[in-house]
Amino acid sequence: MSISASAAEKPVSYYRDLTPIMKRSCTGCHHPGKLKGELDLTTYAAFAKGGKHGAGFTAKQPTNSMVIEEISGDEPSMPKEGDALSKAEVALFTRWIIEGAQDDTPANANSFKLTEPPTYTRSPVISALAFSPDGKQLAVSGYHEVLIHSAGESNIVARLLGESPRIESLAYSPNGKLLGVSGGAPALFGEVQLWSTESNTLVRSIKSSIDSLYGISFSPDSERVAVGGADKSVRVFSVKDGKELMKFDNHSDWVFGTTFLLDGKRLLSGSRDKALKLIDISNGQFIDDINKLLEGALCIARSPKEDIVVYGGEQGVSRIYKIAENQGRTAANNDVNIIKEYERLGGPVQAIAWSPNGTNIAVGGAVPEVRVYTSGKDGKRVATLKGHDGAIYSLAFSPTTNWLAAGGFDGTLRIYDYAAKSNQLVRAFIPVPLKRVTQTAAK
């Protein structure tokens, strides 16, 4: 790293000068999800606190500062991986400590909040959809926001602007009072947002990960909310105060789906590690894998009528399982809980949904069509819904009609009447307001 003469004359800035070095060389091993030496270097406060070897630094005393000891010398202890810091970079840390080790991180440095709704020149990928319990509204993912549409007219009635740039999943609480949103900024933070459906105002934002959160679900009593994470965890939060009630770390890969069982006492999670794990919420204990480990679970949906679940696999197969302990599998690893295996899709299954009356399952993914099946053991395909230009990432059944909403790569929201014999497409529209770009402006 070269330092200009002007930079050398100015006091060293923790935020401008040191933070970029630590992001490049240090925080990969020292962040809340991977605390080597019990040391977190993602914030000034955590850096000052230090780890198992003591405080990170002592102001005005570089020779008594752990960080200087670790990064200096012919064979420095840190970083463990990658190139050692240059002499100029070590000098920056030393000067900063001599100058008092001040924190000049701006108050909004880690904020992703927008001052106004985004302007769209093209429709973004639709990653999440949800109908309200009364069927009157349809929530659609956008960039930094969720757009609320009148389900019958396809017009925007509210824009819920939040901090997360990426919206990964949406779910209404069973009592209809809240819309839950999970997402985040990849490799930076994960967030749960809880919005009032009456006032369209943010009730609570919960940041609780260093990476995105997926697969949001509400407990049957609407008092708890669960999410999975790219950090391989499953978390349950209190709706009332946002407190973390449970954290489960038994998965070995990203967790894309969660669903409470009907009694609200147990939770099922689905992960790219191929496991559907049954969890006791009261103590966070692992009960059992309910399935044989065949392929990564990219999405899950529970029957609204009973404790059975369907998941979509990364190899293109969807399967229905009883949500029950799997002790009967024995050494042969028999798939004793399986009820039905559907036909292969032809690519990863990215979206799956169970109709509110429990009779149908919709599957979407890598191929540009949605398939609707009966949920019984016959598993008959009853509809093939076409018209998309690209993969399907989100599906939602209406609770009051035979409508199925589908969205994905092409950014167009399509609503189908899946029970119709022909002309199944009810309407198709862009769910975000587009700004017309003139040819002159484009140049």
Side-chain angles (χ1 to χ4, degrees):
M1 175 180 176
S2 62
I3 307 174
S4 67
S6 60
E9 294 171 0
K10 296 179 181 179
V12 178
S13 164
Y14 170 78
Y15 181 70
R16 295 189 304 274
D17 299 326
L18 303 189
T19 297
I21 298 173
M22 290 195 285
K23 284 184 176 179
R24 185 202 69 210
S25 299
C26 307
T27 57
C29 293
H30 301 286
H31 61 76
K34 186 179 180 181
L35 291 173
K36 280 196 173 182
E38 301 175 12
L39 178 63
D40 177 8
L41 294 177
T42 59
T43 67
Y44 175 90
F47 182 20
K49 180 182 177 182
K52 66 180 182 181
H53 298 300
F57 55 85
T58 301
K60 299 186 178 181
Q61 300 180 38
T63 57
N64 293 327
S65 294
M66 179 269 292
V67 63
I68 302 302
E69 180 182 346
E70 295 290 341
I71 64 177
S72 300
D74 295 333
E75 296 184 4
S77 300
M78 293 200 307
K80 295 290 186 184
E81 300 175 6
D83 296 333
L85 270 60
S86 68
K87 290 182 179 179
E89 290 170 335
V90 174
L92 277 178
F93 278 89
T94 302
R95 280 184 51 214
W96 173 69
I97 292 172
I98 291 173
E99 292 167 355
Q102 297 298 310
D103 179 18
D104 61 349
T105 306
N108 62 348
N110 298 313
S111 174
F112 280 68
K113 289 183 179 179
L114 301 182
T115 56
E116 58 185 24
T119 299
Y120 298 93
T121 57
R122 64 182 62 183
S123 183
V125 170
I126 301 172
S127 57
L129 295 168
F131 275 101
S132 59
D134 61 8
K136 293 181 179 180
Q137 295 187 334
L138 176 61
V140 186
S141 65
Y143 175 67
H144 271 280
E145 68 174 333
V146 178
L147 301 104
I148 307 299
H149 285 259
S150 172
E153 300 173 7
S154 303
N155 62 302
I156 298 173
V157 297
R159 298 179 70 176
L160 311 184
L161 188 62
E163 189 165 357
S164 294
R166 289 185 57 161
I167 307 301
E168 303 292 357
S169 65
L170 300 169
Y172 281 91
S173 60
N175 62 15
K177 294 182 178 181
L178 294 172
L179 172 64
V181 182
S182 73
L188 293 174
F189 70 87
E191 182 188 25
V192 172
Q193 300 169 14
L194 299 176
W195 294 84
S196 166
T197 56
E198 181 179 358
S199 61
N200 290 320
T201 57
L202 184 63
V203 176
R204 183 163 290 104
S205 167
I206 308 168
K207 283 187 177 179
S208 186
S209 174
I210 60 164
D211 214 328
S212 297
L213 298 177
Y214 300 87
I216 193 168
S217 63
F218 281 92
S219 59
D221 59 10
S222 300
E223 294 182 358
R224 292 157 293 161
V225 63
V227 287
D231 63 356
K232 310 174 188 177
S233 69
V234 180
R235 292 176 170 88
V236 176
F237 301 99
S238 165
V239 166
K240 182 179 179 180
D241 55 21
K243 290 183 179 180
E244 185 177 287
L245 303 176
M246 188 208 78
K247 185 170 183 282
F248 177 80
D249 292 312
N250 197 267
H251 281 288
S252 60
D253 211 327
W254 292 21
V255 182
F256 287 121
T258 69
T259 184
F260 286 84
L261 273 62
L262 292 175
D263 62 9
K265 297 179 180 179
R266 292 170 294 166
L267 184 74
L268 187 75
S269 57
S271 167
R272 200 164 57 183
D273 67 6
K274 304 180 183 180
L276 300 178
K277 293 188 180 293
L278 187 58
I279 307 164
D280 184 333
I281 300 173
S282 66
N283 54 19
Q285 293 298 307
F286 170 57
I287 298 174
D288 205 352
D289 294 336
I290 72 164
N291 65 317
K292 186 175 182 178
L293 308 185
L294 298 170
E295 56 183 304
L298 304 184
C299 46
I300 65 175
R302 197 205 71 214
S303 165
K305 305 293 184 180
E306 54 186 318
D307 283 333
I308 57 177
V309 66
V310 61
Y311 84 88
E314 63 184 357
Q315 295 177 18
V317 177
S318 300
R319 299 176 180 87
I320 298 180
Y321 281 89
K322 294 182 296 182
I323 304 178
E325 293 185 33
N326 202 14
Q327 301 299 323
R329 60 192 171 195
T330 68
N333 196 19
N334 296 314
D335 214 6
V336 297
N337 286 335
I338 193 165
I339 295 174
K340 173 66 185 176
E341 180 175 297
Y342 289 100
E343 62 183 328
R344 190 175 297 275
L345 185 63
V349 178
Q350 303 282 1
I352 205 156
W354 210 308
S355 64
N357 61 11
T359 60
N360 293 103
I361 288 170
V363 176
V367 298
E369 66 182 32
V370 180
R371 299 176 184 177
V372 182
Y373 302 92
T374 59
S375 60
K377 289 187 177 181
D378 60 340
K380 179 182 178 182
R381 195 200 300 193
V382 295
T384 305
L385 311 176
K386 297 181 178 293
H388 284 269
D389 183 14
I392 311 298
Y393 297 132
S394 52
L395 295 167
F397 281 97
S398 165
T400 56
T401 67
N402 289 324
W403 289 355
L404 174 66
F409 178 80
D410 65 10
T412 297
L413 180 59
R414 293 173 175 85
I415 296 180
Y416 301 91
D417 183 343
Y418 63 91
K421 298 298 182 183
S422 60
N423 299 320
Q424 293 165 316
L425 184 64
V426 177
R427 59 180 175 275
F429 60 96
I430 302 297
V432 301
L434 294 181
K435 179 181 180 181
R436 185 182 297 276
V437 180
T438 64
Q439 196 169 17
T440 302
K443 293 178 181 179

